[in-house]
Amino acid sequence: AISCLCEDGAALASPQLNTESITLLFVSVFKFNVVVLALYALYAVPFAWFGFEKIKRHKRMLDQMAEFQLANAKCTLETDRRVIEEQVLSLFDEALEPPIRVA
């Protein structure tokens, strides 16, 4: 035990560790963190699910775009096919250009 002397020479005992207050502190911190983790899970799980669903839908869209053939498009009038081809070319004309390289 650590002790110190007062001015009058009397020894002071070191303060005892109060285990009850430490236990109460641990329990209160644990209870608070359980609430925080529960709230986090309440919000994180649905947002994670929506995020993964969006990634799946995006992949499906990219797969559909990779398999798309303009020649197989169903047109009411055959003259519409030319209009659609022009619109596709105007929208995706930069895809035909080589990628820009910055050195």
Side-chain angles (χ1 to χ4, degrees):
I2 299 173
S3 62
C4 59
L5 296 176
C6 293
E7 291 177 13
D8 62 358
L12 290 175
S14 64
Q16 293 297 318
L17 203 54
N18 186 352
T19 57
E20 184 178 323
S21 64
I22 291 174
T23 305
L24 289 174
L25 176 66
F26 176 76
V27 169
S28 66
V29 168
F30 180 75
K31 283 181 182 178
F32 176 74
N33 286 334
V34 166
V35 171
V36 170
L37 288 174
L39 288 174
Y40 174 77
L42 184 68
Y43 287 100
V45 170
F47 279 103
W49 183 80
F50 284 122
F52 286 126
E53 286 299 313
K54 176 165 181 7
I55 290 170
K56 283 195 255 181
R57 285 192 306 271
H58 187 75
K59 183 184 179 320
R60 186 172 47 230
M61 179 197 65
L62 292 176
D63 291 342
Q64 289 172 346
M65 288 178 69
E67 295 173 5
F68 179 76
Q69 296 292 325
L70 192 58
N72 296 336
K74 296 178 183 174
C75 298
T76 306
L77 300 173
E78 203 51 41
T79 54
D80 292 344
R81 187 175 307 280
R82 185 67 198 145
V83 173
I84 292 172
E85 287 175 357
E86 289 173 4
Q87 287 180 346
V88 169
L89 284 175
S90 69
L91 288 172
F92 296 101
D93 63 343
E94 68 239 9
L96 301 174
E97 299 172 4
I100 297 174
R101 296 180 69 185
V102 177

